[in-house]
């Protein structure tokens, strides 16, 4: 399937980037000493034997919906060593198993991940880009994966930056306006293989416009909230994912340490919709069909934003995303 790459734009600024609500790659960002220091040996030394919960899979395409992986625990230094290897002398499932770390808070049920708390020595090497006010910060997540590891397509409800520190990573994105073509189950797409999709099972998927970039060390990808993304590690890679609250703080679920639950108002609306649909079950099939179509029409009139579509078409006639160089001290 064809995809659109990211051209270069020299006029890209932080304010323009966040206000347009569209992804963009920032090249050659000065993320700090991490770009030179974060070798496998250094990471293992600084991270030490702190135990981390990881995903382990016999196949490189991880599927969260069907849980084709196991949760395991390893000392951080042993995890980094294994994740950097192609074949393992020590393993859980098989000698070519794949590893993935998404760091967690100390109290996984209450605390968001924070690099400065879970890995303070490594955090000193990484400069968080100032895209947001300090009180908007939500989490900084360590993401470390084996070469070839691919993560499922999903969306987040907060704006975030994906900083690539080591290795190369392909990221494929889809617009929120293409949600109807992605076969959603919650916040995740059921289309696991986005490169060779099963079009008999997912015929509408071809209508979703694909945007693609390859991140190299020192690159930042701005991912606006609700944009779907799928990542593929082209090499063993280390990154830091920084999330912040771009909506008022009370818009978010206060009991959500991962930052991926729908905003409170959206959750209430979805719950109300489920109640309405259960009410329609009291009617015969032809009536349910008729009033279901009326409900869809009402929802489209009240919620669909033509201006978003027009803006995307006007600013992005060829379907490309902006890319620019942005350097920061450090």
């Amino acid at each position: 399937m064809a995809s659109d790459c990211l051209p270069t734009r020299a006029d890209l600024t932080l304010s323009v980037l966040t206000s347009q609500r569209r992804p963009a790659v920032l090249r050659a960002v000065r993320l700090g000493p991490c770009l030179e220091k974060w070798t496998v040996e250094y990471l293992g030394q600084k991270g030490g034997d702190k135990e981390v919960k990881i995903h382990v899979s016999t196949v490189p395409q991880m599927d969260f919906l069907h849980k084709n992986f196991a949760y395991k625990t390893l000392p951080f230094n042993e995890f980094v060593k294994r994740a950097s290897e192609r074949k393992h002398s020590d393993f859980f499932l098989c000698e070519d198993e794949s590893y993935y770390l998404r760091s967690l808070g100390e109290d996984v049920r209450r605390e968001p991940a924070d690099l400065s708390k879970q890995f303070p020595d490594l955090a000193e090497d990484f400069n968080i880009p100032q895209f947001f006010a300090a009180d908007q910060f939500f989490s900084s997540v360590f993401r470390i994966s084996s070469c070839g590891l691919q993560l499922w397509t999903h969306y987040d409800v907060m704006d975030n930056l994906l900083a690539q520190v080591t290795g190369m990573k392909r990221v494929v994105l889809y617009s929120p306006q293409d949600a109807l073509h992605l076969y959603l189950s919650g916040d995740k797409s059921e289309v696991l293989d986005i490169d060779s999709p099963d079009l008999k099972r997912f015929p509408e998927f071809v209508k979703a416009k694909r945007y693609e970039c390859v991140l190299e060390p020192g690159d930042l990808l701005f991912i606006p909230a609700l944009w779907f993304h799928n990542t593929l590690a082209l090499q063993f890679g280390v990154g830091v994912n920084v999330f912040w609250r771009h909506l008022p703080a009370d818009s978010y679920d206060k009991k959500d340490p991962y930052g991926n639950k729908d905003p409170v108002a959206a959750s209430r609306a979805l719950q109300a919709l489920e109640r309405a649909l259960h009410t329609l079950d009291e009617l015969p099939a032809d009536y349910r069909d008729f009033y279901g179509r009326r409900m869809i029409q009402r929802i489209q009139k009240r919620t669909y934003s033509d201006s978003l579509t027009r803006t995307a078409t006007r600013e992005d006639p060829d379907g490309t995303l902006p890319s620019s160089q942005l350097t920061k001290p450090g």
Side-chain angles (χ1 to χ4, degrees), residues 295-312:
M295 288 172 66
I296 290 172
Q297 186 181 47
R298 290 283 298 276
I299 290 173
Q300 288 177 328
K301 281 187 174 181
R302 287 288 299 274
T303 65
Y304 279 27
S305 176
D306 290 338
S307 63
L308 289 176
T309 303
R310 286 196 300 270
T311 299

Side-chain angles (χ1 to χ4, degrees), residues 31-34 37-38 42 46 115-116 119-127:
L31 297 175
C34 57
K37 288 185 173 183
W38 283 9
Y42 182 85
K46 291 294 185 179
L115 195 65
S116 66
F119 299 94
D121 290 342
L122 291 170
E124 291 179 1
D125 301 332
F126 179 77
N127 296 332

Side-chain angles (χ1 to χ4, degrees), residues 151-190:
L151 293 180
W152 52 89
T153 304
H154 68 284
Y155 70 87
D156 298 302
V157 300
M158 295 184 188
D159 284 356
N160 65 95
L161 289 170
L162 179 57
Q164 193 69 15
V165 180
T166 74
M168 296 173 64
K169 177 175 290 184
R170 184 195 75 175
V171 185
V172 174
L173 303 104
Y174 300 95
S175 165
Q177 278 70 56
D178 278 334
L180 294 179
H181 308 315
L182 296 179
Y183 297 88
L184 298 184
S185 177
D187 63 338
K188 301 167 185 67
S189 170
E190 294 181 10

Side-chain angles (χ1 to χ4, degrees), residues 35-212:
L35 291 173
E36 290 78 34
K37 288 185 173 183
W38 283 9
T39 62
V40 171
E41 293 74 19
Y42 182 85
L43 288 168
Q45 177 189 349
K46 291 294 185 179
D49 57 2
K50 173 187 175 67
E51 290 200 335
V52 289
K53 189 175 183 180
I54 58 174
H55 303 64
V56 183
S57 177
T58 59
V59 295
Q61 261 184 352
M62 286 195 178
D63 177 3
F64 193 87
L65 292 175
H66 300 100
K67 298 292 195 299
N68 67 344
F69 54 83
Y71 289 110
K72 299 292 183 178
T73 302
L74 277 177
F76 181 77
N77 50 12
E78 175 65 14
F79 157 72
V80 172
K81 173 182 171 293
R82 292 197 198 181
S84 66
E85 299 170 339
R86 288 285 194 160
K87 297 284 184 182
H88 315 294
S89 54
D90 297 310
F91 52 85
F92 293 108
L93 307 174
C94 64
E95 65 176 6
D96 59 350
E97 62 194 13
S98 295
Y99 294 84
Y100 170 60
L101 168 69
R102 188 259 190 232
S103 63
L104 305 170
E106 296 301 323
D107 183 341
V108 298
R109 296 182 180 277
R110 296 183 181 181
E111 289 183 30
D114 186 338
L115 195 65
S116 66
K117 294 179 180 178
Q118 283 84 58
F119 299 94
D121 290 342
L122 291 170
E124 291 179 1
D125 301 332
F126 179 77
N127 296 332
I128 295 180
Q130 299 305 306
F131 270 51
F132 50 89
D135 61 354
Q136 291 179 291
F137 172 81
F138 179 75
S139 65
S140 51
V141 180
F142 232 160
R143 296 195 188 274
I144 304 178
S145 56
S146 298
C147 178
L149 185 94
Q150 186 170 15
L151 293 180
W152 52 89
T153 304
H154 68 284
Y155 70 87
D156 298 302
V157 300
M158 295 184 188
D159 284 356
N160 65 95
L161 289 170
L162 179 57
Q164 193 69 15
V165 180
T166 74
M168 296 173 64
K169 177 175 290 184
R170 184 195 75 175
V171 185
V172 174
L173 303 104
Y174 300 95
S175 165
Q177 278 70 56
D178 278 334
L180 294 179
H181 308 315
L182 296 179
Y183 297 88
L184 298 184
S185 177
D187 63 338
K188 301 167 185 67
S189 170
E190 294 181 10
V191 185
L192 183 61
D193 190 345
I194 61 171
D195 298 306
S196 300
D198 182 348
L199 296 181
K200 289 185 178 179
R201 185 179 175 193
F202 307 114
E204 292 289 308
F205 185 67
V206 295
K207 297 180 181 178
K209 190 168 192 174
R210 170 174 170 146
Y211 300 83
E212 183 172 328

Side-chain angles (χ1 to χ4, degrees), residues 248-307:
D250 59 3
S251 300
Y252 302 100
D253 189 325
K254 292 180 173 58
K255 297 181 180 179
D256 176 21
Y258 293 93
N260 57 10
K261 288 187 178 181
D262 291 314
V264 174
S267 294
R268 290 202 307 265
L270 290 170
Q271 291 166 5
L273 175 60
E274 284 300 317
R275 291 194 295 271
L277 292 173
H278 282 304
T279 302
L280 286 185
D281 287 340
E282 300 172 13
L283 296 170
D286 55 340
Y287 279 74
R288 288 199 305 272
D289 180 275
F290 175 74
Y291 286 103
R293 292 173 190 274
R294 285 196 60 188
M295 288 172 66
I296 290 172
Q297 186 181 47
R298 290 283 298 276
I299 290 173
Q300 288 177 328
K301 281 187 174 181
R302 287 288 299 274
T303 65
Y304 279 27
S305 176
D306 290 338
S307 63

Side-chain angles (χ1 to χ4, degrees), residues 9 11-24 26 129-133 136 158-161 221-225 227 244-247 308 315 322 326:
R9 263 181 52 186
D11 62 340
L12 196 62
T13 64
L14 299 185
S15 59
V16 169
L17 189 63
T18 53
S19 65
Q20 286 184 347
R21 314 303 307 152
R22 297 175 62 231
L26 306 179
Q130 299 305 306
F131 270 51
F132 50 89
Q136 291 179 291
M158 295 184 188
D159 284 356
N160 65 95
L161 289 170
L221 173 61
F222 170 58
I223 308 177
W227 273 78
W244 67 93
R245 304 179 185 90
H246 66 286
L247 299 178
L308 289 176
E315 296 181 352
L326 177 73

